[in-house]
Amino acid sequence: MKECVLVVDDDREIVKAISILLEGEGYEVLKAYDGLKALDILTTGRVQLVLIDVMMPKLDGLSALMRIRQKANIPVIVLSAKSEDTDKVLGLSMGADDYVSKPYNPAELAARVKSQLRRYTLLGDIHAGERAGEITNGRLTYHTDERILYADGEAVKLTATETKIVDLLMRNLGRIFPAEEIYRRVWEEEAFASENTVMVHIRRIREKLELNPKEPEYIKVVWGIGYKMEKQEKCR
């Protein structure tokens, strides 16, 4: 069965061009021209990735993104004419997995879609299979085979990208990873101006697992070097 990508943009010519590009790569493509229609299509459960524009009528892309994240962890790539770092950070902070600026390079866009789908597919059904092991660190328990993180016994709802970062840090407790290395390992491509992207994802993870994200106990920044998962005493 073909992987299904939902392309959302109020510019029908852009939707058409991207659809031709992705269909040529072997994907099934669904189309929407505003955020509300995109949300309606997502209820079918057929979509594995969303490529969404920011500026749209009825419901803009970032507002739609927030609603998507309330219900689904599928990869979302934001496509926008805005290229400033602040706009990129805003999109990522709302739950996007990646950001592509217009005018886009077709080969780059196809590669980013493939990369996101590959990560999502590799994670698979996080509830499937037998538990082969777990890593416990204070309040946190990470089930390595299922790739599920628990905080105080409750599953933490992570996106595919966030899960990949958590997997890296939990398997290497106490080790400091530069942002560039995290980016290369998680995004599986060379790091270029990667600091903001990694920083935003780290912040989102902290908000989900830390008791006080402003004074994190677990994911620590080592200024000038990178990030690490701090080793904790096992909870009793």
Side-chain angles (χ1 to χ4, degrees):
M1 183 180 295
K2 292 182 178 181
E3 291 171 306
C4 184
V5 177
L6 173 60
V7 180
V8 192
D9 196 310
D10 62 326
D11 188 324
R12 292 174 181 261
E13 289 302 314
I14 289 178
V15 172
K16 181 180 179 180
I18 294 177
S19 298
I20 292 172
L21 171 68
L22 296 181
E23 287 168 352
E25 295 289 329
Y27 301 112
E28 177 186 358
V29 178
L30 300 180
K31 305 170 186 176
Y33 305 105
D34 62 72
L36 290 178
K37 181 60 177 177
L39 295 175
D40 184 51
I41 292 174
L42 285 169
T43 61
T44 65
R46 294 171 57 193
V47 177
Q48 280 85 51
L49 180 143
V50 179
L51 185 61
I52 191 167
D53 184 42
V54 172
M55 303 301 292
M56 293 187 298
K58 296 185 179 178
L59 185 68
D60 67 86
L62 295 182
S63 297
L65 172 59
M66 287 191 293
R67 296 195 191 182
I68 292 170
R69 277 291 168 255
Q70 291 172 1
K71 299 181 180 180
N73 287 330
I74 59 175
V76 178
I77 300 175
V78 171
L79 181 66
S80 174
K82 296 181 178 180
S83 59
E84 293 84 357
D85 281 346
T86 53
D87 295 308
K88 181 177 181 179
V89 170
L90 181 59
L92 293 170
S93 67
M94 290 183 174
D97 293 281
D98 206 348
Y99 190 107
V100 177
S101 299
K102 298 178 183 176
Y104 62 88
N105 178 296
E108 178 188 356
L109 180 60
R112 289 182 181 274
V113 167
K114 182 178 180 180
S115 176
Q116 289 293 334
L117 282 170
R118 182 171 63 247
R119 280 205 302 277
Y120 182 66
T121 302
L122 284 175
L123 289 171
D125 182 353
I126 61 173
H127 300 292
E130 298 180 1
R131 189 177 72 193
E134 62 182 42
I135 300 168
T136 299
N137 187 36
R139 298 170 40 248
L140 307 180
T141 300
Y142 180 61
H143 291 192
T144 55
D145 271 14
E146 298 165 329
R147 288 186 169 88
I148 304 175
L149 179 71
Y150 292 87
D152 297 319
E154 294 189 8
V156 181
K157 190 174 182 181
L158 300 170
T159 67
T161 302
E162 291 165 358
T163 299
K164 199 83 178 281
I165 294 173
V166 165
D167 184 90
L168 175 65
L169 297 179
M170 286 295 288
R171 290 177 187 269
N172 297 275
L173 296 176
R175 177 179 169 183
I176 303 170
F177 288 93
E180 293 80 6
E181 184 176 354
I182 293 174
Y183 190 92
R184 284 196 300 269
R185 285 173 176 251
V186 173
W187 276 262
E188 298 177 7
E189 60 187 34
E190 283 304 308
F192 177 73
S194 57
E195 179 64 35
N196 277 341
T197 300
V198 173
M199 176 186 68
V200 169
H201 281 81
I202 291 290
R203 184 172 71 227
R204 282 165 41 194
I205 296 169
R206 280 174 170 167
E207 289 171 351
K208 295 179 180 182
L209 63 85
E210 299 280 3
L211 293 176
N212 182 359
K214 294 182 178 180
E215 297 181 6
E217 299 176 80
Y218 290 90
I219 301 182
K220 298 288 188 72
V221 60
V222 181
W223 295 109
I225 304 177
Y227 301 92
K228 68 174 180 175
M229 177 67 73
E230 187 86 338
K231 290 184 178 180
Q232 304 286 334
E233 293 294 329
K234 187 173 181 180
C235 294
R236 292 180 169 82

